[in-house]
Every structure is written in structure tokens, then in C-alpha cells.
Amino acid sequence: MKKVWIDAGHGGRDSGAVGNGVKEKDIALRVATETVKRLERDYDGVKCDLSRSTDIYLTLSERTNKANAAGADFLISIHCNAGGFESYTYSGTKDAATASLQNVLHNEVMARLKPFEIRDRGQKKKDLHMCRETKMPAVLTENLFVDVPGDATKLKRPEVIEAIISGHVVGVAKFLGLKPKQQPKPPANGAVKILGPASATVGQAKEWARAKNAPQEFVALADLYWQVAAERGVDPAVAYVQAGHETGYIYRDGRSAAGIDASYHNPCGLKITAGGGDYQASAHKRFKDWTNGITAHLDHLALYAGAVGYPKADTPDPRHFPYLKGTAKTLEALGAKWAPSSSYGQRLGDELRKLQGIKADTPASKPSGETASIEVNGEKVADGPLINGYVFAPVRVGRGSTRR
């Protein structure tokens, strides 16, 4: 088992370089945490550790002491401090492994940044603490410069951050000779498509949720999933099962492992555009209501599945990145993509089949649960399901058309 130490530069009261709406510490943390996540998710024989996984302050000595104590095979320290991309090793080292690590890592990152016309500032040596005080090969990467408007603009683009992360991941894998993990085979009865009509009724969904001892708030959300999903071509049963898994049935025990609760109206653990740690509450998106949260969830699934018209401009999905389109057209394919585990999609498929096997009398067109009336000037104009204090019902906006 190879041990890799990833150091996210700066943090806490030490923001690093700041400019043009970008902070170095935030970029470093995002690249570091995602690199670790993908290395362990996608490759066998590697264990990764981070100097920091949240926005905390650490001295340089604390960072290198932790890496040395862990017995890591090598260290990579991630920063943003140059008009382009460059990498450093300690000026006094003549170690062949260090030189090899720098060469592979530098070339892999730069190969992915060239399409964005980012300058290659070269492989360099310098008397840097992070490279000098480690007992293992160490490389420090400088990923663009936040004070340069052109670089800062690129650092705000998800596809540029993706290129930086991917370059670090592939560089480490190549240097260590890691083998990709075997992807699970789809079940014998065929993979579950994300796009398509409802494969179960809303009544079945509610009975499944009640069997999980889910709170009433989660049970009631089934109505909203079935309403919104139809407009996006996503099977609502797929999305509802995923919501239950991702939230512990809307945080049945109060809060998620990340420290967020139902007030976030986040049914699937979506992060903010900048991303962040899996256990960092501030890295997760807070939606204004369940309609927005569920719409974002369904749009994210539709994008993964390659739905027509996606990616779209008008969406509350904060991570609606074009490069995701069509990368997971089935539930099983979400494994090692939406979540680190390669069996993630298969587990969701198992739950979906349990939901589909439930016998329920409630048809999809007539949702069960609490209902309420909408009145105008004392006259009732519509009935609809009551969800989290809101009544959902069709509203007439013009001749021959309705809008929810």
C-alpha cells in the first residue's frame, strides 16, 4: 500500500494570495481534497492523507511533521502563486525519485492546462520549507496566479479546476504505477436507466419511505419529486431512492455527517460551485426551499444521464458542469462518480427494486398524504399536496397552458 500526503497550502487566517474574487487557500483545498478522493476511489493500492481537509490554519512545521510522522512515500503541496503553471523541488536535493515525481506530475497537469492557453513556467528548484523539511520526495505545485485577472478568471471556470485536479491524480497514479479499480458489472437483469417515465407510483414511494421509518417531511417530498421529475425526463423513483440514501431520509437523526440538516433543503448532498470537504457544512449548498433543492437534484441527474437540452442555463444546480454530461446514463454508472464507492449505484438499484416491489393502492396521479386548499377572495380555486408548509397545485397562466 502506497501512502501519499497531499498538502493544501495556507488555510484559516492565512488566506495566501487574494485577488479578483479568488483566494489561494480555497483553490488549494478544493484541488487537494478532490485529488485525494479520486485517487482512493479510482485506484487500488493507495492510501492518502491531507494536512487539512477544512479551512484551518497550520504552520509549515506542523504540516511537514505530520507528513513525516505518517511515513508517507511522497508529498505534494498545492498552491496558486504564478502567472501560469510551475512546480518546485528543494534546491539541495539530487534524489532521482524526487526528480521523477516532479517530471511526471508537471507534465500531466500541464498537458491538461494547455488547451486553456495557460503558460508553462517550467520545473524549478527553490529553498522551500515544504520540500526541504520532508523525509520523502516532495513537490510543490503553483497553479496559476489569483492576482492576475486572466488567471483568476480561469480559476473560476470548473473545467480549469477539473484539469488541475485530473493532472494531479493521473500524475500520482503514473508515478506509483497504480492500477485502476475494477468497475462493477451491471446486474444480470440489466442496468437501471436514469431517464424515463416513473417506474413506480408515488404511493409505493411513500410506503417504502415509511418502511424505513422516515420522518413525514421526507414521505411528503415524494409528491414533489413525481411532479418535478416529469418535466425533466428523470425517473422520480430513481431520484427519490437516491435522496433517501444521501440524506438518511432527510437526516432522520437530526444532521448529516457533514453537519447539515433539513433546513438546507438539500436532498442529495450537492455542494456549492467551489466544492470543498465532504464533512464541511459550508461546502454544501443551502437551497431556499424544497422545490429548488429537488429541481437541482433532478437537473444534476439529468445532466449525468445526458438528457436532451442539458446542460442548461436556468437551473439551481450549483455544479452543473458541462463535462459531466452523459458520463452516467444508468444508476449503476453513478458508482465512483456521484460517490466514491464503486458499488454505490448497485446499492441504490437494490433499494429501487424494493420500492418497486411494494404493493400500494395510491396511484401516481392522486398522491396520498396531507392536502390543503388554495383560496382567492374566499373562494377555493385548487387543491394540492401540503409539503413543508407549501401547497403544490397547477396554476392557469394562459389559455391552453398550465404551469406548476
Side-chain angles (χ1 to χ4, degrees), residues 232-285:
R232 283 158 174 78
V234 174
D235 181 350
V238 168
Y240 191 64
V241 164
Q242 187 183 33
H245 175 84
E246 286 289 334
T247 67
Y249 309 97
I250 307 298
Y251 314 119
R252 181 170 50 200
D253 300 320
R255 288 180 177 271
S256 72
I260 71 174
D261 56 26
S263 69
Y264 277 68
H265 301 114
N266 188 334
C268 61
L270 276 173
K271 291 181 180 176
I272 59 176
T273 303
D278 289 345
Y279 301 103
Q280 184 180 2
S282 61
H284 290 76
K285 177 70 175 178

Side-chain angles (χ1 to χ4, degrees), residues 192-205:
V192 177
K193 292 182 179 180
I194 293 171
L195 301 179
S199 61
T201 68
V202 73
Q204 287 176 297

Side-chain angles (χ1 to χ4, degrees), residues 16-39:
V18 179
N20 301 292
V22 180
K23 294 181 181 179
E24 181 180 1
K25 67 174 184 178
D26 295 337
I27 298 296
L29 182 62
R30 182 177 173 186
V31 172
T33 54
E34 189 65 22
T35 296
V36 165
K37 175 182 176 180
R38 295 190 192 183
L39 279 169

Side-chain angles (χ1 to χ4, degrees), residues 161-181:
I161 297 298
E162 170 64 22
I164 294 171
I165 294 168
S166 178
H168 281 80
V169 171
V170 175
V172 170
K174 279 193 173 183
F175 175 73
L176 292 177
L178 300 177
K179 294 183 178 180
K181 288 183 177 179

Side-chain angles (χ1 to χ4, degrees), residues 59-111:
T59 66
L60 293 177
S61 294
E62 286 176 320
R63 296 167 188 268
T64 51
N65 288 345
K66 288 170 71 173
N68 289 333
D73 290 293
F74 64 84
L75 174 146
I76 298 171
S77 187
I78 296 170
H79 293 257
C80 304
N81 195 33
F85 175 76
E86 61 189 7
S87 60
Y88 288 91
T89 58
Y90 173 49
S91 54
T93 186
K94 296 181 180 179
D95 176 52
T98 299
S100 177
L101 171 62
Q102 181 184 26
N103 187 57
V104 173
L105 188 64
H106 186 101
N107 289 338
E108 291 299 329
V109 175
M110 198 59 234

